[in-house]
Amino acid sequence: MDPVNFPRILPQAIRDGFQGTFSRQPKRFQMEDSQYRVKRESVAQLFVYSLSWKMTWLETQIFEAWIEYSLAQGAGYFTIKIGGVPTLVRPLTAAPVYTPMGIKWGVKMDVEELRAKPVVSSRTGVLPVWPTSLPVYEQDSYSIGKVLPMTRTDIESGYPDERVRFKQRLTQFTGKILCTPEQRELFWDYHRDTLINGSAWFMGPFASARSTDFQRVRFVESPVETPTGAWYSITMKLETVNAPIMSREEFLQYSDFINDYVEADYIEDDYVGRYTD
Amino acid sequence: MTMNAALEEAYASQPIDDQTLDTLEFHHPSFVDETGQRTAIRVIYDTETWSLKLEASAPLNGGEYVDFLPVPFSFTQPGYAEDQVPTMTFSISNVSRLVTQYLELAIGQTTPIKMIYRPYLQSDTSMPQMDPVITMTLTAAVASTMQVTGTATLSDVHNWPFPSQKYTPERFPGLQR
């Protein structure tokens, strides 16, 4: 069955409720050195969009009939503009959902697109760099989580054992970038072709209390795009093993204070001062 | 069974710019296409159809590029243990009914269904990355709406006659008097 176009008589999808991300995460295997190996599920990846419409009663009827007859009850492909780009998609089995919204109907449908294969270039031995035309993370929703290099007993009785197992400090962080429609396209092209669907390491922005610089980072999960006004927010979770930390020499410059703190037993002093005066 | 060096490297280091492509092929004399020509079920663990070259000794279309259809499946590679016949279990999506339409043709026939496992690499589709490829016989298959689950084994080497060299009149006509 040949793909059909989304009917012109129906309204365009609205921004509310829009979301796009890959339908499957790459497999990650933890190796003995605490690093992860990434294996992609397939060469070309499936991308899922959540689309929403606000339709009149008649438009909703036409939409239902269009799925029934033009899309062979939802089994067919159709072309619709997403982010201004004509995209070939097909409905997922769980969609669509109709909810009354005042005098109109809210219609939600999840669709999937088979994205093009990455254009893999020959190995250069040089890490790709975050494109200068892409923004860095917003302060809003940026967070860093240190993965402690510990291993802990998995027996659920007694006092659990713990020890440091790995030398490397894995740091995972989440960030959100705000993109124009052009930057959004550039981001997904960079993610697919240069980062081979997000599985390659690259020099990307990383901010911590120590420094705000570019570090060797990699995607942990597939990015998720949502609309923000006329722009797009792309939320991403990344990891690095190169998070900068204060050197031991620099740390020792504060050793007097640190030793004072321990020897003076500030905790007890605070306690005495606060509750006995 | 010998794996090519490139496949060994891919299994060991999972290079991100290359992808292992697992394929399954099913053979039976009753599998014919709409023109009546002998065909085989060829599926690949990916999201797109791939044109891959078969080994020269393949039972059908040897040395030719053939299409492998993207059908979701899972499998466990056969292990090799003492006193056990290697077996391979697999599950293939049956939502499209691609597999059952052929299985129904083979029902009632005594000729076993052959299953061939070939791994390829995205960077080299000109040959399977294993020589010889794993060829097994389908011993059980259960089809439901969602999937076809089956088991395939190698030839039952434990029950081969030993010694297998026999003095028969066909081989030694002088035995006939």
mmCIF file with all atom_site columns, all heavy atoms in Angstrom, chain B residues 63-85:
data_model
loop_
_atom_site.group_PDB
_atom_site.id
_atom_site.type_symbol
_atom_site.label_atom_id
_atom_site.label_alt_id
_atom_site.label_comp_id
_atom_site.label_asym_id
_atom_site.label_entity_id
_atom_site.label_seq_id
_atom_site.pdbx_PDB_ins_code
_atom_site.Cartn_x
_atom_site.Cartn_y
_atom_site.Cartn_z
_atom_site.occupancy
_atom_site.B_iso_or_equiv
_atom_site.pdbx_formal_charge
_atom_site.auth_seq_id
_atom_site.auth_comp_id
_atom_site.auth_asym_id
_atom_site.auth_atom_id
_atom_site.pdbx_PDB_model_num
ATOM 1   N N   . GLY B 1 63 ? 26.286 -17.792 -3.897 1.00 0.00 ? 63 GLY B N   1
ATOM 2   C CA  . GLY B 1 63 ? 27.139 -16.782 -4.509 1.00 0.00 ? 63 GLY B CA  1
ATOM 3   C C   . GLY B 1 63 ? 26.392 -15.574 -5.036 1.00 0.00 ? 63 GLY B C   1
ATOM 4   O O   . GLY B 1 63 ? 26.987 -14.708 -5.672 1.00 0.00 ? 63 GLY B O   1
ATOM 5   N N   . GLU B 1 64 ? 25.090 -15.495 -4.773 1.00 0.00 ? 64 GLU B N   1
ATOM 6   C CA  . GLU B 1 64 ? 24.308 -14.366 -5.288 1.00 0.00 ? 64 GLU B CA  1
ATOM 7   C C   . GLU B 1 64 ? 23.911 -13.429 -4.145 1.00 0.00 ? 64 GLU B C   1
ATOM 8   O O   . GLU B 1 64 ? 23.843 -13.840 -2.983 1.00 0.00 ? 64 GLU B O   1
ATOM 9   C CB  . GLU B 1 64 ? 23.023 -14.871 -5.959 1.00 0.00 ? 64 GLU B CB  1
ATOM 10  C CG  . GLU B 1 64 ? 23.228 -15.707 -7.185 1.00 0.00 ? 64 GLU B CG  1
ATOM 11  C CD  . GLU B 1 64 ? 21.902 -16.243 -7.716 1.00 0.00 ? 64 GLU B CD  1
ATOM 12  O OE1 . GLU B 1 64 ? 20.845 -15.653 -7.413 1.00 0.00 ? 64 GLU B OE1 1
ATOM 13  O OE2 . GLU B 1 64 ? 21.929 -17.268 -8.421 1.00 0.00 ? 64 GLU B OE2 1
ATOM 14  N N   . TYR B 1 65 ? 23.640 -12.176 -4.542 1.00 0.00 ? 65 TYR B N   1
ATOM 15  C CA  . TYR B 1 65 ? 23.061 -11.228 -3.574 1.00 0.00 ? 65 TYR B CA  1
ATOM 16  C C   . TYR B 1 65 ? 21.558 -11.487 -3.494 1.00 0.00 ? 65 TYR B C   1
ATOM 17  O O   . TYR B 1 65 ? 20.880 -11.548 -4.521 1.00 0.00 ? 65 TYR B O   1
ATOM 18  C CB  . TYR B 1 65 ? 23.310 -9.787  -4.021 1.00 0.00 ? 65 TYR B CB  1
ATOM 19  C CG  . TYR B 1 65 ? 24.673 -9.264  -3.627 1.00 0.00 ? 65 TYR B CG  1
ATOM 20  C CD1 . TYR B 1 65 ? 25.759 -9.368  -4.494 1.00 0.00 ? 65 TYR B CD1 1
ATOM 21  C CD2 . TYR B 1 65 ? 24.881 -8.684  -2.380 1.00 0.00 ? 65 TYR B CD2 1
ATOM 22  C CE1 . TYR B 1 65 ? 27.014 -8.888  -4.126 1.00 0.00 ? 65 TYR B CE1 1
ATOM 23  C CE2 . TYR B 1 65 ? 26.125 -8.203  -2.009 1.00 0.00 ? 65 TYR B CE2 1
ATOM 24  C CZ  . TYR B 1 65 ? 27.183 -8.314  -2.885 1.00 0.00 ? 65 TYR B CZ  1
ATOM 25  O OH  . TYR B 1 65 ? 28.420 -7.846  -2.509 1.00 0.00 ? 65 TYR B OH  1
ATOM 26  N N   . VAL B 1 66 ? 21.059 -11.679 -2.304 1.00 0.00 ? 66 VAL B N   1
ATOM 27  C CA  . VAL B 1 66 ? 19.620 -11.897 -2.115 1.00 0.00 ? 66 VAL B CA  1
ATOM 28  C C   . VAL B 1 66 ? 19.129 -10.956 -1.018 1.00 0.00 ? 66 VAL B C   1
ATOM 29  O O   . VAL B 1 66 ? 19.909 -10.453 -0.204 1.00 0.00 ? 66 VAL B O   1
ATOM 30  C CB  . VAL B 1 66 ? 19.312 -13.363 -1.722 1.00 0.00 ? 66 VAL B CB  1
ATOM 31  C CG1 . VAL B 1 66 ? 19.649 -14.309 -2.847 1.00 0.00 ? 66 VAL B CG1 1
ATOM 32  C CG2 . VAL B 1 66 ? 20.052 -13.748 -0.456 1.00 0.00 ? 66 VAL B CG2 1
ATOM 33  N N   . ASP B 1 67 ? 17.820 -10.734 -1.014 1.00 0.00 ? 67 ASP B N   1
ATOM 34  C CA  . ASP B 1 67 ? 17.233 -9.813  -0.035 1.00 0.00 ? 67 ASP B CA  1
ATOM 35  C C   . ASP B 1 67 ? 16.879 -10.542 1.260  1.00 0.00 ? 67 ASP B C   1
ATOM 36  O O   . ASP B 1 67 ? 16.279 -11.632 1.232  1.00 0.00 ? 67 ASP B O   1
ATOM 37  C CB  . ASP B 1 67 ? 15.966 -9.170  -0.602 1.00 0.00 ? 67 ASP B CB  1
ATOM 38  C CG  . ASP B 1 67 ? 16.301 -8.061  -1.578 1.00 0.00 ? 67 ASP B CG  1
ATOM 39  O OD1 . ASP B 1 67 ? 17.482 -7.666  -1.632 1.00 0.00 ? 67 ASP B OD1 1
ATOM 40  O OD2 . ASP B 1 67 ? 15.385 -7.605  -2.283 1.00 0.00 ? 67 ASP B OD2 1
ATOM 41  N N   . PHE B 1 68 ? 17.254 -9.959  2.367  1.00 0.00 ? 68 PHE B N   1
ATOM 42  C CA  . PHE B 1 68 ? 16.836 -10.435 3.690  1.00 0.00 ? 68 PHE B CA  1
ATOM 43  C C   . PHE B 1 68 ? 15.855 -9.416  4.252  1.00 0.00 ? 68 PHE B C   1
ATOM 44  O O   . PHE B 1 68 ? 16.155 -8.223  4.313  1.00 0.00 ? 68 PHE B O   1
ATOM 45  C CB  . PHE B 1 68 ? 18.045 -10.588 4.622  1.00 0.00 ? 68 PHE B CB  1
ATOM 46  C CG  . PHE B 1 68 ? 18.890 -11.790 4.338  1.00 0.00 ? 68 PHE B CG  1
ATOM 47  C CD1 . PHE B 1 68 ? 19.820 -11.777 3.303  1.00 0.00 ? 68 PHE B CD1 1
ATOM 48  C CD2 . PHE B 1 68 ? 18.745 -12.953 5.084  1.00 0.00 ? 68 PHE B CD2 1
ATOM 49  C CE1 . PHE B 1 68 ? 20.603 -12.888 3.025  1.00 0.00 ? 68 PHE B CE1 1
ATOM 50  C CE2 . PHE B 1 68 ? 19.516 -14.075 4.819  1.00 0.00 ? 68 PHE B CE2 1
ATOM 51  C CZ  . PHE B 1 68 ? 20.455 -14.044 3.792  1.00 0.00 ? 68 PHE B CZ  1
ATOM 52  N N   . LEU B 1 69 ? 14.684 -9.898  4.643  1.00 0.00 ? 69 LEU B N   1
ATOM 53  C CA  . LEU B 1 69 ? 13.626 -8.989  5.088  1.00 0.00 ? 69 LEU B CA  1
ATOM 54  C C   . LEU B 1 69 ? 13.777 -8.657  6.569  1.00 0.00 ? 69 LEU B C   1
ATOM 55  O O   . LEU B 1 69 ? 14.154 -9.519  7.372  1.00 0.00 ? 69 LEU B O   1
ATOM 56  C CB  . LEU B 1 69 ? 12.252 -9.633  4.841  1.00 0.00 ? 69 LEU B CB  1
ATOM 57  C CG  . LEU B 1 69 ? 11.940 -9.993  3.398  1.00 0.00 ? 69 LEU B CG  1
ATOM 58  C CD1 . LEU B 1 69 ? 10.599 -10.706 3.303  1.00 0.00 ? 69 LEU B CD1 1
ATOM 59  C CD2 . LEU B 1 69 ? 11.929 -8.737  2.532  1.00 0.00 ? 69 LEU B CD2 1
ATOM 60  N N   . PRO B 1 70 ? 13.456 -7.408  6.940  1.00 0.00 ? 70 PRO B N   1
ATOM 61  C CA  . PRO B 1 70 ? 13.563 -7.031  8.352  1.00 0.00 ? 70 PRO B CA  1
ATOM 62  C C   . PRO B 1 70 ? 12.386 -7.574  9.155  1.00 0.00 ? 70 PRO B C   1
ATOM 63  O O   . PRO B 1 70 ? 11.293 -7.035  9.100  1.00 0.00 ? 70 PRO B O   1
ATOM 64  C CB  . PRO B 1 70 ? 13.538 -5.505  8.307  1.00 0.00 ? 70 PRO B CB  1
ATOM 65  C CG  . PRO B 1 70 ? 12.765 -5.175  7.088  1.00 0.00 ? 70 PRO B CG  1
ATOM 66  C CD  . PRO B 1 70 ? 12.987 -6.286  6.102  1.00 0.00 ? 70 PRO B CD  1
ATOM 67  N N   . VAL B 1 71 ? 12.598 -8.661  9.833  1.00 0.00 ? 71 VAL B N   1
ATOM 68  C CA  . VAL B 1 71 ? 11.568 -9.265  10.681 1.00 0.00 ? 71 VAL B CA  1
ATOM 69  C C   . VAL B 1 71 ? 12.177 -9.433  12.075 1.00 0.00 ? 71 VAL B C   1
ATOM 70  O O   . VAL B 1 71 ? 13.259 -10.014 12.202 1.00 0.00 ? 71 VAL B O   1
ATOM 71  C CB  . VAL B 1 71 ? 11.128 -10.647 10.125 1.00 0.00 ? 71 VAL B CB  1
ATOM 72  C CG1 . VAL B 1 71 ? 10.118 -11.300 11.055 1.00 0.00 ? 71 VAL B CG1 1
ATOM 73  C CG2 . VAL B 1 71 ? 10.538 -10.494 8.736  1.00 0.00 ? 71 VAL B CG2 1
ATOM 74  N N   . PRO B 1 72 ? 11.524 -8.935  13.102 1.00 0.00 ? 72 PRO B N   1
ATOM 75  C CA  . PRO B 1 72 ? 12.096 -9.071  14.444 1.00 0.00 ? 72 PRO B CA  1
ATOM 76  C C   . PRO B 1 72 ? 12.228 -10.546 14.848 1.00 0.00 ? 72 PRO B C   1
ATOM 77  O O   . PRO B 1 72 ? 11.308 -11.329 14.643 1.00 0.00 ? 72 PRO B O   1
ATOM 78  C CB  . PRO B 1 72 ? 11.081 -8.359  15.346 1.00 0.00 ? 72 PRO B CB  1
ATOM 79  C CG  . PRO B 1 72 ? 10.328 -7.460  14.435 1.00 0.00 ? 72 PRO B CG  1
ATOM 80  C CD  . PRO B 1 72 ? 10.283 -8.155  13.107 1.00 0.00 ? 72 PRO B CD  1
ATOM 81  N N   . PHE B 1 73 ? 13.378 -10.907 15.357 1.00 0.00 ? 73 PHE B N   1
ATOM 82  C CA  . PHE B 1 73 ? 13.548 -12.271 15.887 1.00 0.00 ? 73 PHE B CA  1
ATOM 83  C C   . PHE B 1 73 ? 14.603 -12.252 16.977 1.00 0.00 ? 73 PHE B C   1
ATOM 84  O O   . PHE B 1 73 ? 15.380 -11.300 17.112 1.00 0.00 ? 73 PHE B O   1
ATOM 85  C CB  . PHE B 1 73 ? 13.905 -13.276 14.781 1.00 0.00 ? 73 PHE B CB  1
ATOM 86  C CG  . PHE B 1 73 ? 15.254 -13.075 14.139 1.00 0.00 ? 73 PHE B CG  1
ATOM 87  C CD1 . PHE B 1 73 ? 16.401 -13.612 14.701 1.00 0.00 ? 73 PHE B CD1 1
ATOM 88  C CD2 . PHE B 1 73 ? 15.370 -12.383 12.935 1.00 0.00 ? 73 PHE B CD2 1
ATOM 89  C CE1 . PHE B 1 73 ? 17.638 -13.447 14.090 1.00 0.00 ? 73 PHE B CE1 1
ATOM 90  C CE2 . PHE B 1 73 ? 16.596 -12.207 12.320 1.00 0.00 ? 73 PHE B CE2 1
ATOM 91  C CZ  . PHE B 1 73 ? 17.732 -12.739 12.896 1.00 0.00 ? 73 PHE B CZ  1
ATOM 92  N N   . SER B 1 74 ? 14.594 -13.289 17.767 1.00 0.00 ? 74 SER B N   1
ATOM 93  C CA  . SER B 1 74 ? 15.629 -13.465 18.780 1.00 0.00 ? 74 SER B CA  1
ATOM 94  C C   . SER B 1 74 ? 16.110 -14.903 18.701 1.00 0.00 ? 74 SER B C   1
ATOM 95  O O   . SER B 1 74 ? 15.383 -15.779 18.219 1.00 0.00 ? 74 SER B O   1
ATOM 96  C CB  . SER B 1 74 ? 15.094 -13.149 20.174 1.00 0.00 ? 74 SER B CB  1
ATOM 97  O OG  . SER B 1 74 ? 14.066 -14.052 20.508 1.00 0.00 ? 74 SER B OG  1
ATOM 98  N N   . PHE B 1 75 ? 17.314 -15.144 19.151 1.00 0.00 ? 75 PHE B N   1
ATOM 99  C CA  . PHE B 1 75 ? 17.831 -16.505 19.074 1.00 0.00 ? 75 PHE B CA  1
ATOM 100 C C   . PHE B 1 75 ? 18.972 -16.648 20.064 1.00 0.00 ? 75 PHE B C   1
ATOM 101 O O   . PHE B 1 75 ? 19.528 -15.658 20.541 1.00 0.00 ? 75 PHE B O   1
ATOM 102 C CB  . PHE B 1 75 ? 18.335 -16.814 17.652 1.00 0.00 ? 75 PHE B CB  1
ATOM 103 C CG  . PHE B 1 75 ? 19.554 -16.027 17.273 1.00 0.00 ? 75 PHE B CG  1
ATOM 104 C CD1 . PHE B 1 75 ? 20.826 -16.590 17.367 1.00 0.00 ? 75 PHE B CD1 1
ATOM 105 C CD2 . PHE B 1 75 ? 19.436 -14.722 16.854 1.00 0.00 ? 75 PHE B CD2 1
ATOM 106 C CE1 . PHE B 1 75 ? 21.948 -15.856 17.037 1.00 0.00 ? 75 PHE B CE1 1
ATOM 107 C CE2 . PHE B 1 75 ? 20.557 -13.977 16.524 1.00 0.00 ? 75 PHE B CE2 1
ATOM 108 C CZ  . PHE B 1 75 ? 21.809 -14.546 16.610 1.00 0.00 ? 75 PHE B CZ  1
ATOM 109 N N   . THR B 1 76 ? 19.286 -17.894 20.380 1.00 0.00 ? 76 THR B N   1
ATOM 110 C CA  . THR B 1 76 ? 20.482 -18.162 21.173 1.00 0.00 ? 76 THR B CA  1
ATOM 111 C C   . THR B 1 76 ? 21.401 -19.000 20.304 1.00 0.00 ? 76 THR B C   1
ATOM 112 O O   . THR B 1 76 ? 20.965 -19.985 19.689 1.00 0.00 ? 76 THR B O   1
ATOM 113 C CB  . THR B 1 76 ? 20.161 -18.945 22.451 1.00 0.00 ? 76 THR B CB  1
ATOM 114 O OG1 . THR B 1 76 ? 19.433 -20.120 22.086 1.00 0.00 ? 76 THR B OG1 1
ATOM 115 C CG2 . THR B 1 76 ? 19.329 -18.109 23.399 1.00 0.00 ? 76 THR B CG2 1
ATOM 116 N N   . GLN B 1 77 ? 22.640 -18.596 20.240 1.00 0.00 ? 77 GLN B N   1
ATOM 117 C CA  . GLN B 1 77 ? 23.575 -19.356 19.416 1.00 0.00 ? 77 GLN B CA  1
ATOM 118 C C   . GLN B 1 77 ? 23.806 -20.735 20.038 1.00 0.00 ? 77 GLN B C   1
ATOM 119 O O   . GLN B 1 77 ? 23.785 -20.863 21.262 1.00 0.00 ? 77 GLN B O   1
ATOM 120 C CB  . GLN B 1 77 ? 24.892 -18.610 19.308 1.00 0.00 ? 77 GLN B CB  1
ATOM 121 C CG  . GLN B 1 77 ? 24.764 -17.361 18.459 1.00 0.00 ? 77 GLN B CG  1
ATOM 122 C CD  . GLN B 1 77 ? 26.073 -16.993 17.793 1.00 0.00 ? 77 GLN B CD  1
ATOM 123 O OE1 . GLN B 1 77 ? 26.939 -17.828 17.603 1.00 0.00 ? 77 GLN B OE1 1
ATOM 124 N NE2 . GLN B 1 77 ? 26.218 -15.728 17.451 1.00 0.00 ? 77 GLN B NE2 1
ATOM 125 N N   . PRO B 1 78 ? 24.005 -21.750 19.210 1.00 0.00 ? 78 PRO B N   1
ATOM 126 C CA  . PRO B 1 78 ? 24.174 -23.091 19.757 1.00 0.00 ? 78 PRO B CA  1
ATOM 127 C C   . PRO B 1 78 ? 25.451 -23.208 20.580 1.00 0.00 ? 78 PRO B C   1
ATOM 128 O O   . PRO B 1 78 ? 26.498 -22.706 20.188 1.00 0.00 ? 78 PRO B O   1
ATOM 129 C CB  . PRO B 1 78 ? 24.240 -23.981 18.502 1.00 0.00 ? 78 PRO B CB  1
ATOM 130 C CG  . PRO B 1 78 ? 24.642 -23.067 17.410 1.00 0.00 ? 78 PRO B CG  1
ATOM 131 C CD  . PRO B 1 78 ? 24.092 -21.719 17.752 1.00 0.00 ? 78 PRO B CD  1
ATOM 132 N N   . GLY B 1 79 ? 25.324 -23.836 21.729 1.00 0.00 ? 79 GLY B N   1
ATOM 133 C CA  . GLY B 1 79 ? 26.514 -24.080 22.533 1.00 0.00 ? 79 GLY B CA  1
ATOM 134 C C   . GLY B 1 79 ? 27.074 -25.455 22.212 1.00 0.00 ? 79 GLY B C   1
ATOM 135 O O   . GLY B 1 79 ? 26.429 -26.264 21.529 1.00 0.00 ? 79 GLY B O   1
ATOM 136 N N   . TYR B 1 80 ? 28.257 -25.696 22.638 1.00 0.00 ? 80 TYR B N   1
ATOM 137 C CA  . TYR B 1 80 ? 28.877 -26.996 22.360 1.00 0.00 ? 80 TYR B CA  1
ATOM 138 C C   . TYR B 1 80 ? 29.318 -27.607 23.679 1.00 0.00 ? 80 TYR B C   1
ATOM 139 O O   . TYR B 1 80 ? 30.204 -27.078 24.349 1.00 0.00 ? 80 TYR B O   1
ATOM 140 C CB  . TYR B 1 80 ? 30.060 -26.841 21.403 1.00 0.00 ? 80 TYR B CB  1
ATOM 141 C CG  . TYR B 1 80 ? 29.597 -26.406 20.036 1.00 0.00 ? 80 TYR B CG  1
ATOM 142 C CD1 . TYR B 1 80 ? 29.555 -25.066 19.699 1.00 0.00 ? 80 TYR B CD1 1
ATOM 143 C CD2 . TYR B 1 80 ? 29.155 -27.334 19.101 1.00 0.00 ? 80 TYR B CD2 1
ATOM 144 C CE1 . TYR B 1 80 ? 29.091 -24.655 18.463 1.00 0.00 ? 80 TYR B CE1 1
ATOM 145 C CE2 . TYR B 1 80 ? 28.684 -26.930 17.862 1.00 0.00 ? 80 TYR B CE2 1
ATOM 146 C CZ  . TYR B 1 80 ? 28.666 -25.596 17.546 1.00 0.00 ? 80 TYR B CZ  1
ATOM 147 O OH  . TYR B 1 80 ? 28.184 -25.204 16.326 1.00 0.00 ? 80 TYR B OH  1
ATOM 148 N N   . ALA B 1 81 ? 28.642 -28.674 24.088 1.00 0.00 ? 81 ALA B N   1
ATOM 149 C CA  . ALA B 1 81 ? 28.951 -29.327 25.359 1.00 0.00 ? 81 ALA B CA  1
ATOM 150 C C   . ALA B 1 81 ? 29.025 -30.830 25.140 1.00 0.00 ? 81 ALA B C   1
ATOM 151 O O   . ALA B 1 81 ? 28.437 -31.372 24.188 1.00 0.00 ? 81 ALA B O   1
ATOM 152 C CB  . ALA B 1 81 ? 27.884 -29.003 26.392 1.00 0.00 ? 81 ALA B CB  1
ATOM 153 N N   . GLU B 1 82 ? 29.762 -31.495 26.023 1.00 0.00 ? 82 GLU B N   1
ATOM 154 C CA  . GLU B 1 82 ? 29.957 -32.939 25.908 1.00 0.00 ? 82 GLU B CA  1
ATOM 155 C C   . GLU B 1 82 ? 28.618 -33.664 26.055 1.00 0.00 ? 82 GLU B C   1
ATOM 156 O O   . GLU B 1 82 ? 27.781 -33.278 26.870 1.00 0.00 ? 82 GLU B O   1
ATOM 157 C CB  . GLU B 1 82 ? 30.917 -33.403 27.015 1.00 0.00 ? 82 GLU B CB  1
ATOM 158 C CG  . GLU B 1 82 ? 31.492 -34.780 26.762 1.00 0.00 ? 82 GLU B CG  1
ATOM 159 C CD  . GLU B 1 82 ? 32.547 -35.133 27.814 1.00 0.00 ? 82 GLU B CD  1
ATOM 160 O OE1 . GLU B 1 82 ? 32.962 -34.230 28.549 1.00 0.00 ? 82 GLU B OE1 1
ATOM 161 O OE2 . GLU B 1 82 ? 32.915 -36.297 27.883 1.00 0.00 ? 82 GLU B OE2 1
ATOM 162 N N   . ASP B 1 83 ? 28.428 -34.685 25.261 1.00 0.00 ? 83 ASP B N   1
ATOM 163 C CA  . ASP B 1 83 ? 27.233 -35.529 25.312 1.00 0.00 ? 83 ASP B CA  1
ATOM 164 C C   . ASP B 1 83 ? 25.942 -34.783 24.995 1.00 0.00 ? 83 ASP B C   1
ATOM 165 O O   . ASP B 1 83 ? 24.864 -35.197 25.411 1.00 0.00 ? 83 ASP B O   1
ATOM 166 C CB  . ASP B 1 83 ? 27.094 -36.203 26.683 1.00 0.00 ? 83 ASP B CB  1
ATOM 167 C CG  . ASP B 1 83 ? 28.218 -37.177 26.921 1.00 0.00 ? 83 ASP B CG  1
ATOM 168 O OD1 . ASP B 1 83 ? 28.779 -37.669 25.918 1.00 0.00 ? 83 ASP B OD1 1
ATOM 169 O OD2 . ASP B 1 83 ? 28.544 -37.435 28.091 1.00 0.00 ? 83 ASP B OD2 1
ATOM 170 N N   . GLN B 1 84 ? 26.046 -33.657 24.347 1.00 0.00 ? 84 GLN B N   1
ATOM 171 C CA  . GLN B 1 84 ? 24.820 -32.932 23.995 1.00 0.00 ? 84 GLN B CA  1
ATOM 172 C C   . GLN B 1 84 ? 24.859 -32.526 22.530 1.00 0.00 ? 84 GLN B C   1
ATOM 173 O O   . GLN B 1 84 ? 25.901 -32.087 22.039 1.00 0.00 ? 84 GLN B O   1
ATOM 174 C CB  . GLN B 1 84 ? 24.673 -31.660 24.833 1.00 0.00 ? 84 GLN B CB  1
ATOM 175 C CG  . GLN B 1 84 ? 24.293 -31.927 26.273 1.00 0.00 ? 84 GLN B CG  1
ATOM 176 C CD  . GLN B 1 84 ? 24.129 -30.639 27.049 1.00 0.00 ? 84 GLN B CD  1
ATOM 177 O OE1 . GLN B 1 84 ? 24.062 -29.567 26.476 1.00 0.00 ? 84 GLN B OE1 1
ATOM 178 N NE2 . GLN B 1 84 ? 24.069 -30.758 28.360 1.00 0.00 ? 84 GLN B NE2 1
ATOM 179 N N   . VAL B 1 85 ? 23.720 -32.675 21.881 1.00 0.00 ? 85 VAL B N   1
ATOM 180 C CA  . VAL B 1 85 ? 23.634 -32.201 20.508 1.00 0.00 ? 85 VAL B CA  1
ATOM 181 C C   . VAL B 1 85 ? 23.400 -30.692 20.562 1.00 0.00 ? 85 VAL B C   1
ATOM 182 O O   . VAL B 1 85 ? 22.521 -30.229 21.281 1.00 0.00 ? 85 VAL B O   1
ATOM 183 C CB  . VAL B 1 85 ? 22.459 -32.890 19.782 1.00 0.00 ? 85 VAL B CB  1
ATOM 184 C CG1 . VAL B 1 85 ? 22.340 -32.356 18.359 1.00 0.00 ? 85 VAL B CG1 1
ATOM 185 C CG2 . VAL B 1 85 ? 22.646 -34.386 19.776 1.00 0.00 ? 85 VAL B CG2 1
#
